[in-house]
Amino acid sequence: MHGVTTAIVLFILACLIFPKVIKNKPQYYAAVGAVLLAILLDALAHVIGAGGFTKFAYLMTAILQIGAVF
């Protein structure tokens, strides 16, 4: 799932370079927040390492990635 996050981050960075691509700024900022939260959850899952939290973080990361794409 790291490849999906990488692709979303690359698109977000491309939008910073070409700001005219952004049609809906609140939606863009929501996607940025979702990606940052997904990265934070992934880092916490690696640090904490508990089985239940890792599964929760994986699920939430997937939901946040889906939200960032839409």
Side-chain angles (χ1 to χ4, degrees):
M1 291 212 332
H2 294 291
V4 175
T5 304
T6 303
I8 295 169
V9 168
L10 288 176
F11 179 74
I12 289 171
L13 292 176
C15 288
L16 288 175
I17 295 170
F18 304 108
K20 292 185 181 190
V21 174
I22 303 170
K23 303 286 184 198
N24 191 351
K25 290 206 185 271
Q27 186 177 8
Y28 172 76
Y29 293 128
V32 170
V35 168
L36 291 175
L37 191 56
I39 292 170
L40 177 67
L41 278 174
D42 185 53
L44 287 174
H46 285 300
V47 169
I48 294 172
F53 182 75
T54 302
K55 291 178 183 178
F56 170 76
Y58 189 80
L59 173 68
M60 290 306 297
T61 301
I63 291 171
L64 288 169
Q65 286 176 346
I66 291 168
V69 168
F70 286 118

Short mmCIF file of all heavy atoms in Angstrom, two decimals:
data_model
loop_
_atom_site.label_atom_id
_atom_site.label_comp_id
_atom_site.label_asym_id
_atom_site.label_seq_id
_atom_site.Cartn_x
_atom_site.Cartn_y
_atom_site.Cartn_z
N MET A 1 0.80 -1.19 0.00
CA MET A 1 0.00 0.00 0.00
C MET A 1 0.85 1.26 0.00
O MET A 1 0.32 2.34 -0.17
CB MET A 1 -0.94 0.00 1.19
CG MET A 1 -2.00 -1.03 1.08
SD MET A 1 -3.59 -0.68 1.80
CE MET A 1 -3.32 0.42 3.12
N HIS A 2 2.15 1.11 0.16
CA HIS A 2 3.00 2.29 0.15
C HIS A 2 3.08 2.90 -1.24
O HIS A 2 3.28 4.11 -1.36
CB HIS A 2 4.40 1.94 0.65
CG HIS A 2 4.42 1.55 2.09
ND1 HIS A 2 4.18 2.46 3.09
CD2 HIS A 2 4.64 0.37 2.70
CE1 HIS A 2 4.26 1.85 4.25
NE2 HIS A 2 4.53 0.57 4.04
N GLY A 3 2.89 2.09 -2.27
CA GLY A 3 2.91 2.60 -3.63
C GLY A 3 1.75 3.54 -3.90
O GLY A 3 1.89 4.53 -4.62
N VAL A 4 0.60 3.24 -3.31
CA VAL A 4 -0.57 4.11 -3.48
C VAL A 4 -0.31 5.45 -2.82
O VAL A 4 -0.58 6.51 -3.40
CB VAL A 4 -1.83 3.44 -2.89
CG1 VAL A 4 -3.02 4.37 -2.95
CG2 VAL A 4 -2.13 2.14 -3.61
N THR A 5 0.24 5.43 -1.62
CA THR A 5 0.57 6.67 -0.92
C THR A 5 1.59 7.47 -1.70
O THR A 5 1.47 8.69 -1.82
CB THR A 5 1.09 6.38 0.50
OG1 THR A 5 0.12 5.61 1.20
CG2 THR A 5 1.36 7.65 1.27
N THR A 6 2.57 6.80 -2.27
CA THR A 6 3.60 7.48 -3.06
C THR A 6 2.97 8.16 -4.27
O THR A 6 3.30 9.32 -4.58
CB THR A 6 4.67 6.47 -3.52
OG1 THR A 6 5.23 5.84 -2.38
CG2 THR A 6 5.76 7.17 -4.31
N ALA A 7 2.07 7.48 -4.96
CA ALA A 7 1.42 8.07 -6.13
C ALA A 7 0.59 9.29 -5.73
O ALA A 7 0.59 10.30 -6.44
CB ALA A 7 0.55 7.03 -6.81
N ILE A 8 -0.12 9.21 -4.61
CA ILE A 8 -0.93 10.34 -4.16
C ILE A 8 -0.04 11.53 -3.79
O ILE A 8 -0.33 12.67 -4.14
CB ILE A 8 -1.83 9.93 -2.98
CG1 ILE A 8 -2.85 8.88 -3.42
CG2 ILE A 8 -2.56 11.13 -2.40
CD1 ILE A 8 -3.60 8.22 -2.27
N VAL A 9 1.06 11.25 -3.09
CA VAL A 9 1.98 12.33 -2.71
C VAL A 9 2.59 12.97 -3.96
O VAL A 9 2.72 14.20 -4.02
CB VAL A 9 3.08 11.80 -1.76
CG1 VAL A 9 4.20 12.81 -1.58
CG2 VAL A 9 2.48 11.44 -0.42
N LEU A 10 2.93 12.18 -4.95
CA LEU A 10 3.47 12.75 -6.19
C LEU A 10 2.45 13.65 -6.88
O LEU A 10 2.79 14.71 -7.40
CB LEU A 10 3.93 11.64 -7.13
CG LEU A 10 5.21 10.92 -6.71
CD1 LEU A 10 5.51 9.77 -7.66
CD2 LEU A 10 6.37 11.89 -6.68
N PHE A 11 1.19 13.25 -6.87
CA PHE A 11 0.15 14.09 -7.46
C PHE A 11 -0.02 15.37 -6.66
O PHE A 11 -0.19 16.46 -7.24
CB PHE A 11 -1.18 13.34 -7.55
CG PHE A 11 -2.28 14.18 -8.12
CD1 PHE A 11 -2.30 14.46 -9.48
CD2 PHE A 11 -3.27 14.69 -7.32
CE1 PHE A 11 -3.30 15.24 -10.02
CE2 PHE A 11 -4.28 15.47 -7.85
CZ PHE A 11 -4.29 15.75 -9.21
N ILE A 12 0.04 15.28 -5.34
CA ILE A 12 -0.08 16.48 -4.51
C ILE A 12 1.08 17.44 -4.78
O ILE A 12 0.89 18.65 -4.89
CB ILE A 12 -0.17 16.09 -3.01
CG1 ILE A 12 -1.53 15.46 -2.73
CG2 ILE A 12 0.08 17.29 -2.10
CD1 ILE A 12 -1.66 14.84 -1.37
N LEU A 13 2.27 16.90 -4.91
CA LEU A 13 3.42 17.75 -5.23
C LEU A 13 3.31 18.35 -6.62
O LEU A 13 3.70 19.50 -6.84
CB LEU A 13 4.72 16.95 -5.08
CG LEU A 13 5.08 16.55 -3.65
CD1 LEU A 13 6.33 15.68 -3.65
CD2 LEU A 13 5.27 17.77 -2.77
N ALA A 14 2.78 17.59 -7.57
CA ALA A 14 2.56 18.13 -8.91
C ALA A 14 1.55 19.28 -8.87
O ALA A 14 1.69 20.26 -9.62
CB ALA A 14 2.08 17.04 -9.86
N CYS A 15 0.55 19.17 -8.01
CA CYS A 15 -0.43 20.25 -7.87
C CYS A 15 0.20 21.50 -7.26
O CYS A 15 -0.25 22.61 -7.52
CB CYS A 15 -1.61 19.79 -7.03
SG CYS A 15 -2.68 18.63 -7.89
N LEU A 16 1.22 21.32 -6.43
CA LEU A 16 1.93 22.49 -5.91
C LEU A 16 2.72 23.19 -7.00
O LEU A 16 2.84 24.41 -7.00
CB LEU A 16 2.87 22.07 -4.77
CG LEU A 16 2.21 21.68 -3.45
CD1 LEU A 16 3.27 21.18 -2.47
CD2 LEU A 16 1.45 22.85 -2.88
N ILE A 17 3.25 22.42 -7.92
CA ILE A 17 4.01 23.00 -9.03
C ILE A 17 3.07 23.67 -10.03
O ILE A 17 3.37 24.74 -10.56
CB ILE A 17 4.87 21.91 -9.71
CG1 ILE A 17 5.92 21.40 -8.73
CG2 ILE A 17 5.54 22.46 -10.97
CD1 ILE A 17 6.66 20.18 -9.21
N PHE A 18 1.93 23.03 -10.30
CA PHE A 18 0.94 23.55 -11.25
C PHE A 18 -0.37 23.84 -10.50
O PHE A 18 -1.31 23.04 -10.55
CB PHE A 18 0.68 22.54 -12.37
CG PHE A 18 1.91 22.14 -13.12
CD1 PHE A 18 2.45 20.88 -12.96
CD2 PHE A 18 2.54 23.03 -13.97
CE1 PHE A 18 3.58 20.50 -13.64
CE2 PHE A 18 3.68 22.65 -14.66
CZ PHE A 18 4.21 21.39 -14.49
N PRO A 19 -0.47 24.96 -9.80
CA PRO A 19 -1.65 25.21 -8.97
C PRO A 19 -2.95 25.40 -9.76
O PRO A 19 -4.03 25.30 -9.19
CB PRO A 19 -1.29 26.49 -8.20
CG PRO A 19 -0.19 27.11 -8.95
CD PRO A 19 0.52 26.02 -9.69
N LYS A 20 -2.87 25.65 -11.05
CA LYS A 20 -4.09 25.81 -11.84
C LYS A 20 -4.84 24.49 -12.03
O LYS A 20 -5.99 24.49 -12.44
CB LYS A 20 -3.76 26.43 -13.19
CG LYS A 20 -3.30 27.86 -13.07
CD LYS A 20 -3.08 28.50 -14.41
CE LYS A 20 -2.59 29.92 -14.18
NZ LYS A 20 -2.57 30.70 -15.39
N VAL A 21 -4.18 23.38 -11.72
CA VAL A 21 -4.81 22.07 -11.83
C VAL A 21 -5.87 21.89 -10.74
O VAL A 21 -6.87 21.20 -10.94
CB VAL A 21 -3.74 20.96 -11.73
CG1 VAL A 21 -4.36 19.58 -11.69
CG2 VAL A 21 -2.77 21.07 -12.88
N ILE A 22 -5.68 22.56 -9.61
CA ILE A 22 -6.59 22.41 -8.47
C ILE A 22 -7.87 23.19 -8.76
O ILE A 22 -7.86 24.40 -8.88
CB ILE A 22 -5.93 22.93 -7.18
CG1 ILE A 22 -4.62 22.21 -6.91
CG2 ILE A 22 -6.88 22.77 -6.00
CD1 ILE A 22 -3.81 22.83 -5.80
N LYS A 23 -8.97 22.47 -8.85
CA LYS A 23 -10.27 23.10 -9.11
C LYS A 23 -11.03 23.35 -7.80
O LYS A 23 -11.78 24.29 -7.69
CB LYS A 23 -11.13 22.21 -10.02
CG LYS A 23 -10.49 21.88 -11.34
CD LYS A 23 -10.50 23.07 -12.26
CE LYS A 23 -9.94 22.64 -13.60
NZ LYS A 23 -9.54 23.74 -14.41
N ASN A 24 -10.84 22.47 -6.82
CA ASN A 24 -11.58 22.55 -5.57
C ASN A 24 -10.57 22.52 -4.42
O ASN A 24 -10.11 21.47 -4.00
CB ASN A 24 -12.55 21.37 -5.48
CG ASN A 24 -13.53 21.50 -4.35
OD1 ASN A 24 -13.40 22.38 -3.52
ND2 ASN A 24 -14.51 20.61 -4.33
N LYS A 25 -10.23 23.70 -3.90
CA LYS A 25 -9.19 23.79 -2.87
C LYS A 25 -9.52 23.04 -1.58
O LYS A 25 -8.64 22.38 -1.03
CB LYS A 25 -8.84 25.24 -2.60
CG LYS A 25 -8.13 25.89 -3.76
CD LYS A 25 -7.28 27.02 -3.30
CE LYS A 25 -6.67 27.72 -4.47
NZ LYS A 25 -5.42 27.18 -4.90
N PRO A 26 -10.74 23.11 -1.05
CA PRO A 26 -11.02 22.33 0.18
C PRO A 26 -10.82 20.83 -0.02
O PRO A 26 -10.32 20.14 0.88
CB PRO A 26 -12.48 22.66 0.49
CG PRO A 26 -12.72 23.98 -0.15
CD PRO A 26 -11.87 23.98 -1.39
N GLN A 27 -11.19 20.33 -1.18
CA GLN A 27 -11.00 18.90 -1.47
C GLN A 27 -9.51 18.57 -1.54
O GLN A 27 -9.07 17.53 -1.07
CB GLN A 27 -11.70 18.55 -2.77
CG GLN A 27 -11.70 17.09 -3.09
CD GLN A 27 -12.48 16.80 -4.37
OE1 GLN A 27 -12.88 17.71 -5.09
NE2 GLN A 27 -12.69 15.54 -4.64
N TYR A 28 -8.72 19.48 -2.12
CA TYR A 28 -7.27 19.28 -2.20
C TYR A 28 -6.66 19.24 -0.80
O TYR A 28 -5.86 18.37 -0.49
CB TYR A 28 -6.64 20.41 -3.03
CG TYR A 28 -5.14 20.41 -3.01
CD1 TYR A 28 -4.42 19.48 -3.76
CD2 TYR A 28 -4.43 21.33 -2.25
CE1 TYR A 28 -3.04 19.48 -3.75
CE2 TYR A 28 -3.05 21.33 -2.23
CZ TYR A 28 -2.36 20.40 -2.99
OH TYR A 28 -1.00 20.39 -2.96
N TYR A 29 -7.07 20.18 0.06
CA TYR A 29 -6.52 20.21 1.41
C TYR A 29 -6.96 19.00 2.23
O TYR A 29 -6.21 18.51 3.07
CB TYR A 29 -6.90 21.50 2.12
CG TYR A 29 -6.24 22.72 1.50
CD1 TYR A 29 -6.99 23.83 1.13
CD2 TYR A 29 -4.87 22.76 1.29
CE1 TYR A 29 -6.37 24.94 0.56
CE2 TYR A 29 -4.25 23.85 0.72
CZ TYR A 29 -5.01 24.94 0.36
OH TYR A 29 -4.40 26.02 -0.20
N ALA A 30 -8.15 18.51 1.98
CA ALA A 30 -8.61 17.29 2.66
C ALA A 30 -7.76 16.10 2.23
O ALA A 30 -7.42 15.25 3.06
CB ALA A 30 -10.08 17.03 2.35
N ALA A 31 -7.40 16.03 0.95
CA ALA A 31 -6.54 14.95 0.47
C ALA A 31 -5.15 15.04 1.09
O ALA A 31 -4.56 14.02 1.46
CB ALA A 31 -6.45 14.98 -1.05
N VAL A 32 -4.63 16.26 1.20
CA VAL A 32 -3.32 16.44 1.85
C VAL A 32 -3.39 15.97 3.30
O VAL A 32 -2.50 15.25 3.77
CB VAL A 32 -2.87 17.92 1.77
CG1 VAL A 32 -1.64 18.16 2.63
CG2 VAL A 32 -2.58 18.32 0.33
N GLY A 33 -4.44 16.35 4.01
CA GLY A 33 -4.60 15.92 5.40
C GLY A 33 -4.74 14.42 5.53
O GLY A 33 -4.18 13.80 6.44
N ALA A 34 -5.49 13.81 4.61
CA ALA A 34 -5.67 12.35 4.65
C ALA A 34 -4.35 11.63 4.43
O ALA A 34 -4.05 10.64 5.11
CB ALA A 34 -6.70 11.92 3.61
N VAL A 35 -3.55 12.12 3.51
CA VAL A 35 -2.25 11.48 3.24
C VAL A 35 -1.32 11.65 4.43
O VAL A 35 -0.62 10.70 4.83
CB VAL A 35 -1.62 12.05 1.95
CG1 VAL A 35 -0.18 11.63 1.81
CG2 VAL A 35 -2.41 11.60 0.75
N LEU A 36 -1.30 12.83 5.02
CA LEU A 36 -0.45 13.04 6.19
C LEU A 36 -0.87 12.16 7.36
O LEU A 36 -0.02 11.60 8.06
CB LEU A 36 -0.47 14.52 6.60
CG LEU A 36 0.21 15.48 5.63
CD1 LEU A 36 0.01 16.91 6.10
CD2 LEU A 36 1.68 15.16 5.48
N LEU A 37 -2.17 12.01 7.55
CA LEU A 37 -2.66 11.13 8.61
C LEU A 37 -2.33 9.67 8.33
O LEU A 37 -1.97 8.92 9.24
CB LEU A 37 -4.16 11.32 8.80
CG LEU A 37 -4.79 10.67 10.02
CD1 LEU A 37 -4.11 11.15 11.30
CD2 LEU A 37 -6.27 10.98 10.06
N ALA A 38 -2.41 9.26 7.07
CA ALA A 38 -2.06 7.89 6.70
C ALA A 38 -0.58 7.61 6.96
O ALA A 38 -0.23 6.54 7.47
CB ALA A 38 -2.39 7.64 5.23
N ILE A 39 0.27 8.58 6.66
CA ILE A 39 1.70 8.43 6.92
C ILE A 39 1.95 8.34 8.43
O ILE A 39 2.75 7.52 8.89
CB ILE A 39 2.49 9.57 6.27
CG1 ILE A 39 2.42 9.46 4.74
CG2 ILE A 39 3.94 9.58 6.74
CD1 ILE A 39 2.96 10.66 4.00
N LEU A 40 1.25 9.18 9.19
CA LEU A 40 1.40 9.14 10.65
C LEU A 40 0.95 7.80 11.22
O LEU A 40 1.63 7.21 12.08
CB LEU A 40 0.61 10.28 11.29
CG LEU A 40 0.61 10.31 12.81
CD1 LEU A 40 2.01 10.64 13.33
CD2 LEU A 40 -0.40 11.31 13.32
N LEU A 41 -0.19 7.29 10.77
CA LEU A 41 -0.67 5.99 11.26
C LEU A 41 0.30 4.86 10.91
O LEU A 41 0.52 3.96 11.72
CB LEU A 41 -2.05 5.68 10.68
CG LEU A 41 -3.23 6.32 11.38
CD1 LEU A 41 -4.51 6.05 10.60
CD2 LEU A 41 -3.36 5.81 12.79
N ASP A 42 0.87 4.91 9.73
CA ASP A 42 1.83 3.89 9.33
C ASP A 42 3.06 3.93 10.23
O ASP A 42 3.56 2.89 10.67
CB ASP A 42 2.23 4.07 7.87
CG ASP A 42 3.12 2.96 7.38
OD1 ASP A 42 2.75 1.78 7.55
OD2 ASP A 42 4.20 3.27 6.84
N ALA A 43 3.52 5.14 10.53
CA ALA A 43 4.69 5.27 11.41
C ALA A 43 4.37 4.77 12.82
O ALA A 43 5.18 4.07 13.43
CB ALA A 43 5.14 6.72 11.46
N LEU A 44 3.19 5.11 13.33
CA LEU A 44 2.80 4.64 14.66
C LEU A 44 2.65 3.13 14.71
O LEU A 44 2.99 2.49 15.71
CB LEU A 44 1.50 5.31 15.10
CG LEU A 44 1.59 6.78 15.50
CD1 LEU A 44 0.21 7.34 15.77
CD2 LEU A 44 2.49 6.95 16.70
N ALA A 45 2.14 2.54 13.63
CA ALA A 45 2.00 1.08 13.59
C ALA A 45 3.36 0.41 13.66
O ALA A 45 3.51 -0.63 14.30
CB ALA A 45 1.26 0.66 12.33
N HIS A 46 4.36 1.02 13.02
CA HIS A 46 5.70 0.43 13.08
C HIS A 46 6.34 0.62 14.45
O HIS A 46 7.06 -0.25 14.93
CB HIS A 46 6.60 1.03 12.00
CG HIS A 46 6.29 0.53 10.63
ND1 HIS A 46 6.36 -0.80 10.28
CD2 HIS A 46 5.90 1.18 9.51
CE1 HIS A 46 6.03 -0.95 9.02
NE2 HIS A 46 5.74 0.25 8.52
N VAL A 47 6.08 1.75 15.08
CA VAL A 47 6.68 2.03 16.38
C VAL A 47 6.02 1.19 17.48
O VAL A 47 6.70 0.58 18.30
CB VAL A 47 6.57 3.54 16.72
CG1 VAL A 47 6.95 3.81 18.16
CG2 VAL A 47 7.44 4.35 15.79
N ILE A 48 4.69 1.17 17.50
CA ILE A 48 3.98 0.44 18.55
C ILE A 48 4.09 -1.06 18.34
O ILE A 48 4.40 -1.80 19.25
CB ILE A 48 2.50 0.90 18.63
CG1 ILE A 48 2.46 2.36 19.07
CG2 ILE A 48 1.70 0.02 19.56
CD1 ILE A 48 1.11 3.00 19.01
N GLY A 49 3.82 -1.51 17.14
CA GLY A 49 4.02 -2.90 16.79
C GLY A 49 3.03 -3.90 17.38
O GLY A 49 3.18 -5.10 17.20
N ALA A 50 2.01 -3.44 18.11
CA ALA A 50 1.01 -4.36 18.67
C ALA A 50 0.14 -4.88 17.53
O ALA A 50 -0.18 -4.17 16.59
CB ALA A 50 0.16 -3.65 19.71
N GLY A 51 -0.26 -6.13 17.61
CA GLY A 51 -1.01 -6.77 16.54
C GLY A 51 -2.33 -6.10 16.22
O GLY A 51 -2.65 -5.85 15.06
N GLY A 52 -3.10 -5.78 17.25
CA GLY A 52 -4.40 -5.15 17.03
C GLY A 52 -4.28 -3.76 16.47
O GLY A 52 -5.03 -3.37 15.57
N PHE A 53 -3.34 -2.98 16.99
CA PHE A 53 -3.16 -1.62 16.49
C PHE A 53 -2.64 -1.61 15.07
O PHE A 53 -3.02 -0.76 14.27
CB PHE A 53 -2.23 -0.80 17.39
CG PHE A 53 -2.08 0.62 16.93
CD1 PHE A 53 -3.10 1.52 17.14
CD2 PHE A 53 -0.94 1.03 16.27
CE1 PHE A 53 -2.99 2.83 16.70
CE2 PHE A 53 -0.81 2.34 15.82
CZ PHE A 53 -1.83 3.24 16.04
N THR A 54 -1.78 -2.56 14.74
CA THR A 54 -1.25 -2.64 13.38
C THR A 54 -2.37 -2.91 12.38
O THR A 54 -2.41 -2.29 11.31
CB THR A 54 -0.17 -3.74 13.29
OG1 THR A 54 0.86 -3.46 14.24
CG2 THR A 54 0.43 -3.81 11.91
N LYS A 55 -3.28 -3.80 12.74
CA LYS A 55 -4.42 -4.08 11.85
C LYS A 55 -5.32 -2.86 11.73
O LYS A 55 -5.79 -2.54 10.64
CB LYS A 55 -5.21 -5.27 12.37
CG LYS A 55 -4.47 -6.58 12.24
CD LYS A 55 -5.27 -7.73 12.81
CE LYS A 55 -4.46 -9.02 12.74
NZ LYS A 55 -5.19 -10.14 13.33
N PHE A 56 -5.57 -2.17 12.84
CA PHE A 56 -6.38 -0.96 12.81
C PHE A 56 -5.72 0.10 11.94
O PHE A 56 -6.39 0.76 11.12
CB PHE A 56 -6.60 -0.43 14.23
CG PHE A 56 -7.22 0.93 14.27
CD1 PHE A 56 -8.57 1.09 14.02
CD2 PHE A 56 -6.45 2.04 14.56
CE1 PHE A 56 -9.15 2.35 14.04
CE2 PHE A 56 -7.02 3.30 14.60
CZ PHE A 56 -8.37 3.45 14.35
N ALA A 57 -4.42 0.29 12.11
CA ALA A 57 -3.70 1.31 11.33
C ALA A 57 -3.72 0.96 9.85
O ALA A 57 -3.85 1.84 9.00
CB ALA A 57 -2.26 1.43 11.83
N TYR A 58 -3.60 -0.33 9.51
CA TYR A 58 -3.65 -0.75 8.12
C TYR A 58 -5.01 -0.44 7.51
O TYR A 58 -5.10 0.07 6.39
CB TYR A 58 -3.35 -2.25 8.03
CG TYR A 58 -3.15 -2.76 6.64
CD1 TYR A 58 -1.93 -2.58 5.99
CD2 TYR A 58 -4.16 -3.43 5.96
CE1 TYR A 58 -1.74 -3.04 4.70
CE2 TYR A 58 -3.98 -3.90 4.67
CZ TYR A 58 -2.76 -3.70 4.05
OH TYR A 58 -2.57 -4.15 2.78
N LEU A 59 -6.08 -0.72 8.25
CA LEU A 59 -7.43 -0.44 7.77
C LEU A 59 -7.64 1.06 7.60
O LEU A 59 -8.16 1.50 6.57
CB LEU A 59 -8.46 -1.01 8.74
CG LEU A 59 -9.92 -0.65 8.43
CD1 LEU A 59 -10.37 -1.34 7.15
CD2 LEU A 59 -10.81 -1.03 9.59
N MET A 60 -7.25 1.84 8.59
CA MET A 60 -7.44 3.28 8.49
C MET A 60 -6.60 3.89 7.38
O MET A 60 -7.03 4.82 6.70
CB MET A 60 -7.11 3.94 9.84
CG MET A 60 -8.11 3.63 10.93
SD MET A 60 -9.81 4.01 10.47
CE MET A 60 -9.73 5.77 10.24
N THR A 61 -5.40 3.38 7.16
CA THR A 61 -4.57 3.85 6.07
C THR A 61 -5.25 3.58 4.74
O THR A 61 -5.26 4.45 3.85
CB THR A 61 -3.18 3.18 6.11
OG1 THR A 61 -2.56 3.49 7.36
CG2 THR A 61 -2.30 3.65 4.98
N ALA A 62 -5.84 2.41 4.59
CA ALA A 62 -6.54 2.10 3.35
C ALA A 62 -7.74 3.02 3.14
O ALA A 62 -7.96 3.54 2.04
CB ALA A 62 -7.01 0.64 3.38
N ILE A 63 -8.49 3.28 4.21
CA ILE A 63 -9.65 4.18 4.09
C ILE A 63 -9.19 5.60 3.76
O ILE A 63 -9.80 6.28 2.92
CB ILE A 63 -10.47 4.14 5.40
CG1 ILE A 63 -11.16 2.78 5.54
CG2 ILE A 63 -11.50 5.27 5.44
CD1 ILE A 63 -11.81 2.55 6.87
N LEU A 64 -8.13 6.07 4.38
CA LEU A 64 -7.62 7.41 4.10
C LEU A 64 -7.09 7.52 2.67
O LEU A 64 -7.25 8.55 2.02
CB LEU A 64 -6.54 7.77 5.11
CG LEU A 64 -7.03 8.07 6.52
CD1 LEU A 64 -5.87 8.14 7.48
CD2 LEU A 64 -7.84 9.35 6.53
N GLN A 65 -6.46 6.47 2.18
CA GLN A 65 -5.98 6.50 0.80
C GLN A 65 -7.14 6.55 -0.18
O GLN A 65 -7.10 7.29 -1.16
CB GLN A 65 -5.12 5.26 0.51
CG GLN A 65 -3.76 5.34 1.15
CD GLN A 65 -2.97 4.06 0.93
OE1 GLN A 65 -3.51 3.05 0.54
NE2 GLN A 65 -1.68 4.14 1.21
N ILE A 66 -8.19 5.80 0.08
CA ILE A 66 -9.37 5.83 -0.78
C ILE A 66 -9.98 7.23 -0.75
O ILE A 66 -10.34 7.79 -1.79
CB ILE A 66 -10.39 4.76 -0.35
CG1 ILE A 66 -9.84 3.38 -0.65
CG2 ILE A 66 -11.74 4.97 -1.04
CD1 ILE A 66 -10.64 2.25 -0.01
N GLY A 67 -10.07 7.82 0.44
CA GLY A 67 -10.58 9.17 0.55
C GLY A 67 -9.73 10.20 -0.16
O GLY A 67 -10.25 11.13 -0.77
N ALA A 68 -8.41 10.04 -0.11
CA ALA A 68 -7.52 10.98 -0.78
C ALA A 68 -7.64 10.87 -2.30
O ALA A 68 -7.53 11.87 -3.01
CB ALA A 68 -6.08 10.73 -0.35
N VAL A 69 -7.88 9.68 -2.80
CA VAL A 69 -8.03 9.51 -4.25
C VAL A 69 -9.32 10.18 -4.73
O VAL A 69 -9.35 10.84 -5.76
CB VAL A 69 -8.01 8.01 -4.63
CG1 VAL A 69 -8.46 7.82 -6.05
CG2 VAL A 69 -6.62 7.45 -4.44
N PHE A 70 -10.40 10.02 -3.95
CA PHE A 70 -11.66 10.64 -4.35
C PHE A 70 -11.68 12.10 -4.03
O PHE A 70 -12.31 12.89 -4.61
CB PHE A 70 -12.86 9.94 -3.70
CG PHE A 70 -13.14 8.62 -4.31
CD1 PHE A 70 -13.06 7.45 -3.58
CD2 PHE A 70 -13.50 8.51 -5.64
CE1 PHE A 70 -13.33 6.22 -4.14
CE2 PHE A 70 -13.77 7.29 -6.22
CZ PHE A 70 -13.68 6.14 -5.45
#
